[in-house]
Amino acid sequence: MDHPGQLVQYVLTGLSNGAIYALIGFGFAIIHNATGILNFAQGEFVMLGGMFTIFILSFLNLPLIPAIMLAIIFSTLVGILFERLAIRPLKNVKPLSLVIITIGASIFIRGAAMLIWGKDTHALPAFSGSNPLYVYGATIMPQHLWIFGITIMIIIANKLFFSYSILGKAMRACAYNAHAASLVGIDVKIMVLLSFMVSSAIGSMAGIIIAPLTMTSYDVGIMLGIKGFCAVIIGGMSSGLGTVLGGLLLGLLESLGAGYISASYKDAIAFIILLLILFIRPEGLFKQKATQRV
Amino acid sequence: MIKEKRQILIFTLFALIVLLAPLFLKGSYFLNVLVFIGINTLLAVALNLLLGYAGQISLGHAAFFGLGAYVSGILTTRFPVDPWMALLAAALCAALLAFVIGFPILKLKGHYLAMATLGFGIIMYIFFNETVDLTGGPSGLSGIPNLRLGQLIFDNDRNNYYLVWVITLGVMLLSINLSQSRIGRALRAINDSEVAARVMGVNARILKVQIFTISAFVSAIAGSLYAHTMTFISPTSFGFNFSVELLTMIIIGGLGSMYGSFLGAAILTMLPEFLRVFRDFDIVIYGLMLILITMFMPKGLIGGLEALFKIVINKIKGGAQNVKR
Amino acid sequence: MLSVEGITQIFGGLTALEDVSFSVTPRSITGIIGPNGAGKTTLFNIVTGLYTQTEGKVYLGEKNISFFAPETLAGLGLVRTFQNVELFGQMSVLENVMVGLHTKSKSGIFSCAFKLPGQIREEKTVREKAYRWLEFTGLVDEADIAACNLPFGKGRLLEISRAMAVEPQIILMDEPAAGLNSRETAGLAELIRKIQDLGITIVLVEHDMELVMDVCESIVVLNLGKKLAHGTPREIQEDKAVIAAYLGED
């Protein structure tokens, strides 16, 4: 061990990446719970968030905050289009077709992003400067604090929305039993659309807050998407605490693994964890085993 | 019985056209493209056995292709192993790996299976990239020897064409046979309703692992052929994008159809070859094709052609009857 | 022939079946009836190995078949049909029945791929046998139609032909008359008796009381996961607890 600050640094990096994974995982869970679809294009909304912000900043010369808001709106619009054009027209399709359609959407969005913005890597300026703070010998960028702050805010807002608002409760009702929900007057179609909106908005937010630290390009979506999926699988497909813990756990393991074992296998760690969880406990680490009714 | 005879006729025609094509094609550029179409057809057939017949998705099939290429490449460049033995070793290696991971991975269904195979594919890709001592890492592995049969060396496009296509046609024939048999029916039954298939006595778990293993075996043969005809391999050919490309081939061509595999492989191999403009557009087009074909043409182009053919036949028959009256 | 002993099934705290025991005599027709949610289909799913019961045992003859997989049970001659008709929709009617003959044939992947002589011979007998089962239910004319294009009533018949192809000792039918018109139901009653004449034991879950009282020799009544009564149709019709349960529900 070189110096104690290093460990703190790894933990810090791990936690901030983990927070991002958790947010992306939320996106998966929200759509999955409302529709039963696993949206393979989830990672692309993360990419869109960062890329739209950079594009708006440089072409429209807007200040940062309005640019971010506009970027989230744009990404959400893409989410709406996706749901309206590729998901809603489908009737009685097999899960396999949905996998293929969302994969198709994913590479379509990625390809379009490449054509529009090119293959270069872009950097988003940090939200509040880049003068680092020093804690126990570790360097904290102000952006790390933004990540933690915004993640906590989204987690709380998410919890409030699904527990207390009428819309959130209606979405949960659909997740539980779409037919029964429609009988009590909930418009299931609207709820599905809403789930795509919320999850593309959260995904793009994640992409925006991480972009100043890790840079972004047209193809970051796939890796971030799968890691978010890993987080939500650990958390048992919930948009709650389980997924937050899953994301943080994944982020920590990845960053410690990269630091102390091998940086080149950093990505492999996430995928090995993903496979292990799917093989051994596909219902997640924190959930009680329940017999599924056929 | 009539159906069976028609199938034999169609296959014989297809095989004849394929085997005679080089006599009419001048210039080795076309032959070169056709060699690649052959290798991609072999891969598409392998994936179709798994996805088209048994209904089990794999987003990591490029990994078996890569494993085949690397095992063959490493054995022949770093050890004094005969290329044919290397090809066999590569296929067995991939089959063994598929058999071992098949049991846990094929327990998963639908979305989860897709994610798990995707994860597996990326792990293998990272492995190809990072084990530099073995694979040469990102800069690749070169100097892989050609296959040879006695005096015949497979080092030019014409010879490679026959090498690849004889194997591909053979695998296509075996796959068609399989589809019209007890095992093929059991696989298609699993695809339609796994629960009902099991109640009828089909051991779905074992059968899925078997077909996954065979699919990996064939994919690795394709990988080995690729390595020995190209003589150079690098990880970029075996990444996630190529897995998606394979998926696109069989979706476009038609799930469960071996001729569809050929059609899909031919289209996806030629698009970027003939239209240089497509270089950067290709993934946008693949994405769009995946969505549109799944939505509007679930049986792919082959299914569409068959439907069109039937309409025409019925029109002609109907016309003939009218004349008789 | 078939007996269940103390079957209990709990789904995440909810008790679907509680200590259910009864047995079925060989070559008999037994009906399982009860109001919705009584646990009839759950019981079928346990017996056929699709669910794992929380407690209890299932016997086929002398053999303890608790926790056997569905495919193993098919090999032992226990087969079922489904409430919602689970056909292989993309396959032809004939092929559906040929899948039923899976356990009666044994060519492996290699002999199938290489079309070895043994496989060709076996394929021929499988095809002939499958035609015979289509004749049995009267579906020969539909042999080459894709199963998903069959009208509902004929789909039910196909499911029965497919199950018969397994050459079962015992067949479990989950609501075979649901969705059938009265003429089709009459045909079904006849078919059920024809199956019994082949020496096969039949258990059916059914809501159509007329059919149940007509064909069944013995009836088990389930209510709220518990066995309420077991007897002949006459005994059941006069049973006070059964009447109360049915009237109470209405």
Side-chain angles (χ1 to χ4, degrees), chain B:
Chain B
M1 289 297 133
I2 300 168
K3 202 178 161 195
E4 207 168 294
K5 276 191 185 135
R6 200 175 60 203
Q7 272 186 344
I8 294 170
L9 185 74
I10 293 175
F11 182 80
T12 316
L13 268 176
F14 180 77
L16 272 177
I17 294 172
V18 167
L19 293 177
L20 295 179
L23 303 180
F24 303 98
L25 287 172
K26 299 279 172 259
S28 77
Y29 173 71
F30 282 110
L31 277 179
N32 184 269
V33 173
L34 284 167
V35 169
F36 282 108
I37 293 179
I39 290 174
N40 285 340
T41 304
L42 191 56
L43 284 165
V45 165
L47 185 59
N48 225 333
L49 286 173
L50 185 69
L51 181 56
Y53 286 7
Q56 309 299 309
I57 197 169
S58 167
L59 292 179
H61 247 53
F64 294 120
F65 178 50
L67 189 65
Y70 272 110
V71 170
S72 227
I74 291 166
L75 284 181
T76 49
T77 52
R78 296 180 202 260
F79 305 93
V81 176
D82 176 73
W84 287 108
M85 292 312 289
L87 181 144
L88 187 67
L92 289 175
C93 219
L96 183 70
L97 180 64
F99 184 76
V100 171
I101 67 161
F103 282 98
I105 221 168
L106 290 162
K107 255 191 212 164
L108 303 167
K109 292 190 182 5
H111 302 112
Y112 287 77
L113 178 63
M115 270 294 179
T117 48
L118 199 171
F120 164 74
I122 295 184
I123 290 173
M124 292 297 289
Y125 177 71
I126 293 171
F127 183 77
F128 296 146
N129 256 308
E130 300 299 339
T131 50
V132 180
D133 295 339
L134 211 56
T135 63
S139 48
L141 191 66
S142 56
I144 302 167
N146 291 115
L147 288 160
R148 57 171 72 210
L149 268 181
Q151 296 300 309
L152 184 66
I153 304 174
F154 296 98
D155 61 349
N156 62 48
D157 287 322
R158 181 168 304 260
N159 292 354
N160 283 336
Y161 178 91
Y162 282 108
L163 169 73
V164 167
W165 272 105
V166 165
I167 292 176
T168 302
L169 284 172
V171 173
M172 279 176 87
L173 180 63
L174 295 182
S175 306
I176 291 169
N177 285 347
L178 194 64
S179 129
Q180 298 303 321
S181 74
R182 167 180 184 268
I183 299 292
R185 282 190 298 272
L187 289 169
R188 284 183 286 145
I190 293 172
N191 191 355
D192 274 346
S193 166
E194 186 168 336
V195 171
R198 293 182 65 196
V199 168
M200 291 300 118
V202 174
N203 192 331
R205 201 166 67 105
I206 303 279
L207 206 52
K208 284 195 285 186
V209 173
Q210 279 182 333
I211 204 72
F212 188 59
T213 306
I214 290 176
S215 179
F217 185 88
V218 174
S219 304
I221 291 179
S224 179
L225 288 175
Y226 177 79
H228 291 296
T229 51
M230 289 284 287
T231 71
F232 169 78
I233 50 177
S234 76
T236 46
S237 319
F238 313 115
F240 172 64
N241 281 343
F242 191 64
S243 287
V244 172
E245 226 174 283
L246 286 176
L247 180 72
T248 314
M249 286 177 199
I250 68 171
I251 300 285
I252 289 176
L255 281 176
S257 161
M258 294 304 143
Y259 304 106
S261 300
F262 161 72
L263 201 60
I267 292 173
L268 257 73
T269 316
M270 287 188 311
L271 265 189
E273 284 293 332
F274 285 127
L275 299 160
R276 291 283 161 192
V277 210
F278 274 116
R279 267 270 172 258
D280 278 351
F281 274 89
D282 53 2
I283 71 167
V284 182
I285 289 172
Y286 297 163
L288 214 53
M289 286 201 286
L290 276 179
I291 298 175
L292 294 178
I293 298 258
T294 310
M295 285 173 82
F296 302 113
M297 220 190 231
K299 288 187 175 169
L301 289 178
I302 281 284
L305 285 177
E306 264 173 21
L308 197 70
F309 189 67
K310 268 183 195 152
I311 292 171
V312 172
I313 291 280
N314 283 342
K315 275 265 163 69
I316 294 171
K317 273 185 185 166
Q321 272 167 8
N322 284 342
V323 171
K324 271 181 197 165
R325 273 177 209 159

